Amino acid sequence: MVAKIFSEPVQVANFETDLHGDINLQYLIDTIVQVSEDQSNDLAVGINRVQQAGATWVVIQYDVTIMRLPRANERLEVSTQGSEYTNNFARRNFWARTTDGQLLVSVTSLWVTMDLKTRKMVKINPEMVTPYGSERVHRIGRMQKIQKLPSEEVISTNYPVRFSDIDFNGHVSNTHYIGWMVDTLPFSFLKAHRAVGFSIKFADEVRYGDAVTSRATVLPAETGYDWSVHQILVQEQVSATAQIKWENLE
């Protein structure tokens, strides 16, 4: 059985874009996740149904390949597929295409279910994945390995966690992490570069009232691309790590 692919038309709003007129990375993830939520609701396994069973979905990692970032006011077709799962992990794929079918962005993501009371990972309930047509497998392929943050030349920025940062799971929405990470980089670097891919891995929850530190460094260019490496910390505890691949526009 082939897992179902669900697609929706999307238009990029001006407020979702950056200085270059491209969708920013936080809104890119927001957009694709919304399509997966719409699929879940369409199949009657939306977040309310999952939480009624005492659990919720939590993303562990996104691996994102960018052929071209969608532009302001551009119309897209965004598709998603809950492709496979094991007892503990589920893989979901996403694609963003132009209206004439050109692939712009491809995303692989890894998810778990978390008990709402204990905040611990629990086994995936097959009833919550069967409607997607997801394949039951013994093992899911590895995600991208993220480089360690070097100790030298680290940029650091602090962020307070606001009420508007909190999502329906009671913690900071994971898309805010990539926003904090990008905003830590210097304006001059961001003005001269465009992201062509990234991986972000989530390690721990961030909650209302936490003081967040975003740390980053830019690595020397290799094969024509720059890389930045990132950490999100709360009281020196790592909550997320990431690496972003950048194209130099100059």
Side-chain angles (χ1 to χ4, degrees), residues 5-175:
I5 295 178
F6 178 87
S7 301
E8 281 187 341
V10 171
Q11 184 171 10
V12 179
N14 277 316
F15 69 82
E16 297 174 324
T17 60
D18 61 15
L19 181 68
H20 302 293
D22 301 321
I23 193 169
N24 71 45
L25 302 187
Q26 178 175 338
Y27 281 120
L28 174 63
I29 298 299
D30 279 331
T31 298
I32 64 171
V33 170
Q34 181 60 56
V35 174
S36 69
E37 291 178 1
D38 291 344
Q39 181 190 29
S40 298
N41 290 329
D42 189 64
L43 295 172
V45 284
I47 190 62
N48 291 336
R49 167 83 183 280
V50 177
Q51 290 190 344
Q52 284 172 3
T56 193
W57 286 105
V58 176
V59 66
I60 297 297
Q61 184 164 336
Y62 292 111
D63 290 339
V64 182
T65 301
I66 300 168
M67 277 57 74
R68 175 175 70 76
L69 283 167
R71 303 278 294 168
N73 299 312
E74 186 169 13
R75 297 182 185 276
L76 310 170
E77 181 180 77
V78 177
S79 304
T80 186
Q81 178 191 49
S83 58
E84 56 190 9
Y85 73 101
T86 66
N87 283 339
N88 298 311
F89 299 98
R91 183 187 295 274
R92 177 171 282 278
N93 304 315
F94 300 89
W95 304 272
R97 294 181 171 88
T98 63
T99 53
D100 61 1
Q102 179 188 358
L103 181 63
L104 300 183
V105 180
S106 176
V107 181
T108 300
S109 61
L110 188 67
W111 298 73
V112 299
T113 49
M114 180 183 73
D115 186 283
L116 286 171
K117 291 183 178 179
T118 66
R119 315 302 285 185
K120 302 293 185 181
M121 188 177 78
V122 293
K123 287 186 177 181
I124 293 173
N125 182 348
E127 293 182 4
M128 299 304 167
V129 289
T130 299
Y132 301 111
S134 303
E135 181 184 3
R136 175 73 169 84
V137 296
H138 293 293
R139 181 178 296 178
I140 289 177
R142 292 182 179 274
M143 303 291 283
Q144 287 288 330
K145 184 176 181 180
I146 295 175
Q147 303 174 69
K148 291 184 178 180
L149 184 74
S151 57
E152 64 275 2
E153 298 185 24
V154 173
I155 311 161
S156 182
T157 304
N158 296 322
Y159 296 97
V161 177
R162 307 161 302 172
F163 179 81
S164 59
D165 296 324
I166 305 301
D167 66 11
F168 53 79
N169 285 324
H171 58 207
V172 171
S173 173
N174 61 72
T175 62

Side-chain angles (χ1 to χ4, degrees), residues 234-250:
V234 175
Q235 296 181 349
E236 298 304 314
Q237 178 72 33
V238 175
S239 296
T241 56
Q243 59 190 20
I244 308 175
K245 184 179 181 181
W246 299 92
E247 175 188 19
N248 194 324
L249 302 178
E250 295 183 339

Side-chain angles (χ1 to χ4, degrees), residues 159 161 165 172 176-184 212 214 232:
Y159 296 97
V161 177
D165 296 324
V172 171
H176 286 257
Y177 293 61
I178 191 67
W180 287 332
M181 290 169 169
V182 171
D183 286 342
T184 300
V212 169
S214 176
I232 295 294

